[in-house]
Amino acid sequence: MAPLILFLILLLSSKYLVFSQEIDQFIYNGFKGANLSLNGAAKIHPNGLLELTNTSHQQIGHAFFPFPMRFNSVSFSTSFVFAMVPDSPGLDGHGIAFVISPSTEFRGAIATQYLGLFNSTTIGLASNHLLAIELDAVRNPEFSDINGNHVGIDVNDLTSILSRPASYLSDKDAENKNLELTSGRPMQLWIDYNATERTLDVTLAPIDKIKPKTPLLSTKINLSTVLLEFMYVGFSASTGSVASNHYILGWSFNQSGQARSLELANLPSLPDEGKSREKLVRNTMIILVIILTILIITISGTIYIMRKRYSELHEDWEQQYGPQRFSYKDLYKATKGFKDKGLLGSGGFGKVYKGILPNSNVEVAVKKVSHDSKQGMKEFVAEIASMGRLRHRNLVNLLGYCRRKGELFLVYDHMPNGSLDKFLFTNEKPNLDWIRRYQIIKGVASALYYLHEEWEQVVLRRDIKSSNVLLDIDLNGRLGDFGLAKFYDHGSTLQTTRVVGTLGYLAPELTTTGKATTRSDIFAFGIFMLEVACGRKPVKPERVPEEVVLVDWVGECWNRGEILRTIDPRLEDSYVVDEIELVLKLGLLCTQGRPINRPTMRQVMQYLDGNANLPEMTLQNVDTGFLAIPVVECEESFLCYSLSDSDSILTIGR
C-alpha cells in the first residue's frame, strides 16, 4: 500500500512540475483561441487581434494571462506589439499599461487618467504591490507627467519613478528618433528585469525595426520589495472624454530567460489595413442612410427632438478644458433623466443627483445649477478647471462639467454616506463615536492646510460647515461643494466686495472689511470643530439665552471650569478627555475676533497631531464672540444683509 501511495504522490508532483514549466513562458503570435482573462471592454477579434478598448468614452479594458506567475526574486523578460488608434486625428484617448498585479480585479478603478488601475483613494498605496509600464498619450499634471506622449515606469502609483518621451535610438544612424504613440501604427515594447543586478530596462521601437541596443528607460530597482510571490501579468487600458482603440497584436513572456521573438509576419492585421473596399462600402451605406433619413419625415423629426434634448453650449475658448467636459447625453443617461428618484439633495445652489456613468459604471454626484452665460462664464469655467486639478484624500474630487442652455452641471465623486450634519443633528444616520469624529476633524484640517499652503495657488474655501463635509464609504470626511471657493496666487491679496458664507460661520471682519482671507476660513473651521464636539449647530434660537450662540456658550463654560458640559450627550462617556478638550479649546482659539490672533492651518495641524501644545489661554485674552447680523432694508450705496433663518446663506454685496 505504501509504495502505491508514494507512486501517486510522485505522479501528482511530476504533473505539477510540468504545469509550472508550461507557464514559466508563453508566446502569442496573435490571440486566436487564447484563454486570456478578459473584462471591461476587452475582446478578441476573429483574426486574433486583442482589443482592449474601442472608441466609446471613459472605458476600461483588462486582459491578463489566466494563471499567476511566480515572482520570488526572479528575472523576467517580455515583449509585445501594440497599436493606439485615435477616434479622430489629434484627439487622443489615455493609454495602455503593461501590468504585474496580485489580482486581475481592480474594484473601483476609474478610466481616464487612472488607466483603469486605481481611483483617488487607492492610488499610491504600498499595499497595491503593482508594477506598471505606462504608454500614456495624455499629460496629467497631478501625476507630474512630462508630456502627452511618454513611456513611464510606475510602482503602486501613476506618478512615474522614471519617464521619457516616446522615442528610440537608431543603431544605424546613432540618432534619437521620436515616436507618436497614437499614430495608429504598430510598435514593439521590450521589458527586461535582471534580478541579480536589480536593473529594469524598457525599450521601444517601430515594428519594422530590430530591438535597439540602448533602452529608452533604465533604472535600478529592487522589485522583490514590490512584487508578491505569485502575481498576474497582463494589460490595462482606458479612455476619457476622447477615445482611442487600444490593440495588442502579439505578446511573449519568459521568467527563465530571454522572451522568444514574435513572428511579426504572422501577427493579425489592424481593422483598417488592406480594407479600402470595405471602407468604400461602409461609406456608401452611410450616404444611403443619410438620404433615407432626409426623406423620412418621422425619423427626421425624432432626430431633431433628440438633438434638442441633448443640445449643449460650446464656445471656442472651452477647447482647452475638453478632457474635463462631460456630454449632456452621458449625464442624462447616468441620472436616468434627472428624475427625483435619484435626488440626493437640494437648496439655493440647485439640486444634486446620483448617477452612474455609462460604460465605466462609476458612481458620481451631478450638481445641476442655473447660470447666465453672459456673466463671467469663461472665468467661472476656468475656476472649475482649477478645482478639477485639486487632489487630496480629504477633498471631494470635481471630475468635470457640462453646459446646456441656462444650466450648468458639475460632476463630483459620489459620497455614499452623505453629509456630516445628518449624522450630528438628525436621527437619519447612526451616531458617530468620538474616534470617528476626531479623524473627521483631522481630515478636514489636512484638506484646508492643502488648500491654504500646499497647492500651487491659495484656495479660500469660504463656506466651511458640517453640511459641506461629506463622508465616503469608510466614513472619512471630505470637504466638498466648492461653489464659493476663490483662488489667488501665494503672496497676493484677494480683493472682493462680495462676502458669502453661512450665518454662524462668518468671521467678524468679513462684515466690516469685506475681505476674505485664510484667517476667515480658520474662523469657520473653529466653529466646525465646536459643531462636531458639541453635536449642535452654531446658532440655536430656541435655547436659553446663554446657550443660543455656540461659541459664546463654550467660552463661558470653559471660564467656569465646566467645558466638558458642552460635549454632545450622545457621546456619553466614550471619548478621550484630552482630545475633546483640545478640540474645544482649539475651536475657541480659531474663533478669536482679531484675525491675527488665530492660528494658521499649519499650526492647527501641529496641535491636532500632538506635535505642539496649545498656548496658555484665558477667557480675557480669547476675544471670541458671534457678530449678530440684523435684517435691514438697504439702498445700492450700502452693504446689504439678507438671511431667512439660522442656516441661511448670507450674501453681503455692494
Side-chain angles (χ1 to χ4, degrees), residues 466-497:
S466 58
S467 60
N468 282 341
V469 173
L470 304 178
L471 304 184
D472 63 20
I473 193 169
D474 297 317
L475 293 176
N476 296 309
R478 295 199 186 195
L479 193 56
D481 193 357
F482 280 74
L484 301 179
K486 285 294 177 185
F487 297 74
Y488 65 100
D489 294 333
H490 288 275
S492 63
T493 302
L494 179 67
Q495 299 292 337
T496 177
T497 56

Side-chain angles (χ1 to χ4, degrees), residues 121-340:
T121 60
T122 59
I123 194 165
L125 301 179
S127 58
N128 291 332
H129 295 290
L130 186 143
L131 172 71
I133 308 300
E134 65 172 41
L135 302 161
D136 198 345
V138 176
R139 180 177 180 271
N140 297 291
E142 64 267 36
F143 300 137
S144 303
D145 285 350
I146 55 175
N147 64 16
N149 183 58
H150 64 271
V151 181
I153 299 173
D154 303 337
V155 176
N156 299 325
D157 203 333
L158 289 175
T159 300
S160 301
I161 62 172
L162 180 64
S163 65
R164 293 283 185 275
S167 61
Y168 74 103
L169 184 64
S170 171
D171 297 330
K172 180 180 178 181
D173 305 327
E175 178 184 354
N176 195 63
K177 298 189 176 183
N178 294 328
L179 292 173
E180 187 68 32
L181 293 175
T182 56
S183 65
R185 294 187 292 272
M187 303 179 198
Q188 189 164 4
L189 192 79
W190 295 265
I191 304 168
D192 301 286
Y193 178 65
N194 187 317
T196 304
E197 298 181 2
R198 296 179 177 177
T199 301
L200 180 63
D201 293 334
V202 180
T203 310
L204 179 67
I207 192 173
D208 58 351
K209 303 294 181 182
I210 63 172
K211 181 180 180 181
K213 296 178 182 178
T214 304
L216 175 63
L217 303 173
S218 183
T219 186
K220 292 285 187 180
I221 183 171
N222 182 9
L223 289 183
S224 65
T225 64
V226 178
L227 305 180
L228 303 178
E229 182 176 1
F230 290 99
M231 305 285 285
Y232 290 88
V233 293
F235 303 93
S236 177
S238 72
T239 61
S241 57
V242 177
S244 292
N245 290 95
H246 294 126
Y247 299 109
I248 306 294
L249 287 74
W251 181 22
S252 178
F253 186 92
N254 194 349
Q255 278 189 313
S256 55
Q258 189 67 33
R260 286 181 287 169
S261 297
L262 293 166
E263 298 175 12
L264 302 181
N266 294 330
L267 298 183
S269 300
L270 294 174
D272 288 334
E273 289 185 356
K275 294 190 177 181
S276 58
R277 183 177 178 183
E278 291 183 14
K279 187 174 182 180
L280 178 61
V281 172
R282 185 171 65 251
N283 290 340
T284 303
M285 292 298 296
I286 292 173
I287 293 173
L288 290 175
V289 170
I290 293 174
I291 293 173
L292 289 173
T293 302
I294 294 174
L295 294 176
I296 302 173
I297 298 176
T298 305
I299 296 177
S300 300
T302 303
I303 292 175
Y304 171 79
I305 293 172
M306 295 302 290
R307 285 178 178 174
K308 186 176 181 181
R309 171 180 291 179
Y310 299 130
S311 62
E312 304 174 35
L313 287 177
H314 287 271
E315 296 183 48
D316 292 340
W317 54 262
E318 289 185 84
Q319 294 297 322
Q320 59 184 308
Y321 308 122
Q324 291 177 290
R325 176 147 190 167
F326 286 83
S327 72
Y328 178 73
K329 183 177 181 180
D330 282 348
L331 297 186
Y332 188 88
K333 290 181 178 179
T335 59
K336 296 182 179 178
F338 296 98
K339 299 290 193 260
D340 287 344

Side-chain angles (χ1 to χ4, degrees), residues 452-622:
H452 286 183
E453 301 189 32
E454 292 189 312
W455 200 56
E456 61 193 50
Q457 288 183 288
V458 178
V459 184
L460 295 186
R461 181 56 187 78
R462 299 209 303 169
D463 199 22
I464 302 160
K465 56 185 177 180
S466 58
S467 60
N468 282 341
V469 173
L470 304 178
L471 304 184
D472 63 20
I473 193 169
D474 297 317
L475 293 176
N476 296 309
R478 295 199 186 195
L479 193 56
D481 193 357
F482 280 74
L484 301 179
K486 285 294 177 185
F487 297 74
Y488 65 100
D489 294 333
H490 288 275
S492 63
T493 302
L494 179 67
Q495 299 292 337
T496 177
T497 56
R498 180 176 175 82
V499 179
V500 293
T502 303
L503 184 63
Y505 303 84
L506 287 174
E509 69 272 11
L510 291 177
T511 61
T512 55
T513 67
K515 294 180 180 179
T517 67
T518 55
R519 302 290 175 138
S520 52
D521 268 1
I522 290 166
F523 182 95
F525 178 72
I527 299 294
F528 166 75
M529 285 193 290
L530 297 181
E531 276 189 290
V532 176
C534 303
R536 54 155 289 188
K537 296 181 180 181
V539 180
K540 296 289 287 183
E542 68 273 15
R543 292 231 179 187
V544 295
E546 62 271 18
E547 296 182 10
V548 169
V549 180
L550 176 59
V551 64
D552 290 346
W553 179 49
V554 174
E556 291 170 4
C557 288
W558 174 35
N559 195 41
R560 296 197 303 266
E562 300 176 347
I563 196 168
L564 296 183
R565 179 187 163 204
T566 64
I567 296 172
D568 187 351
R570 292 190 295 177
L571 290 174
E572 298 178 342
D573 294 325
S574 299
Y575 53 83
V576 179
V577 173
D578 290 343
E579 288 180 351
I580 205 163
E581 281 191 345
L582 169 66
V583 168
L584 291 169
K585 292 178 181 179
L586 184 55
L588 294 177
L589 185 63
C590 290
T591 54
Q592 293 190 82
R594 297 183 62 198
I596 193 65
N597 290 338
R598 300 169 199 156
T600 64
M601 284 312 301
R602 182 186 297 270
Q603 292 172 316
V604 169
M605 289 294 296
Q606 291 173 342
Y607 296 143
L608 291 173
D609 289 336
N611 297 326
N613 295 322
L614 279 175
E616 292 295 328
M617 300 182 297
T618 64
L619 190 62
Q620 285 71 34
N621 63 26
V622 178

